[in-house]
Amino acid sequence: QVSLIESGGGLVQAGGSLRLSCAASGRTFSPYVLAWFRQAPGKEREFVSAITWSGGSTLLTDSVKGRFTISRDNAQNTVYLQMNNLKPEDTAAYYCAARVGRLSYSIDLSEYDVWGQGTQVTVSS
């Protein structure tokens, strides 16, 4: 079964950029969707973005449209989240998740089958 490892988090000033990576390893059960969620301290985990692995169709939550971009590199089995113009409100642990054997997007955490361990993004004022 596929496993996910996130990287690329860190500390950045407001207005700066980070690029998160989520590398998938192990056996892949396609078709599936890769998504990013985030969770700030004391907050619920929320949907950020998703991409279909095979087709590359993308979905972004309204709060990050125009600032974040999701993409994937099939050859590297990696999905990326390019985050520009970061704001303190973006501070959170970012998690990638896989929806295995499904074609459609979902913003519901319960629809995802495999989760990474998370990577911390901290945006200073």
Side-chain angles (χ1 to χ4, degrees):
Q1 190 171 5
V2 65
S3 61
L4 306 174
I5 301 175
E6 304 99 333
S7 62
L11 175 64
V12 65
Q13 296 272 14
S17 298
L18 286 172
R19 187 195 193 200
L20 306 184
S21 299
C22 176
S25 62
R27 193 168 299 163
T28 299
F29 299 90
S30 61
Y32 63 93
V33 175
L34 271 294
W36 289 96
F37 292 79
R38 65 186 181 186
Q39 186 170 22
K43 305 288 187 179
E44 298 288 336
R45 191 171 298 185
E46 65 175 352
F47 174 81
V48 178
S49 187
I51 186 168
T52 60
W53 191 252
S54 59
S57 298
T58 62
L59 178 68
L60 293 164
T61 194
D62 286 344
S63 64
V64 304
K65 286 181 179 178
R67 299 190 297 120
F68 291 10
T69 303
I70 190 170
S71 62
R72 91 278 194 235
D73 184 338
N74 288 359
Q76 297 294 322
N77 294 320
T78 301
V79 63
Y80 304 98
L81 186 68
Q82 178 67 46
M83 305 185 295
N84 297 325
N85 192 24
L86 283 161
K87 303 176 180 180
E89 306 91 89
D90 297 316
T91 295
Y94 283 70
Y95 299 86
C96 61
R99 193 183 194 200
V100 178
R102 303 293 183 93
L103 294 172
S104 60
Y105 297 120
S106 177
I107 63 172
D108 187 347
L109 280 69
S110 67
E111 295 291 334
Y112 289 84
D113 306 293
V114 183
W115 290 83
Q117 293 298 306
T119 185
Q120 179 67 37
V121 172
T122 302
V123 184
S124 62
S125 301

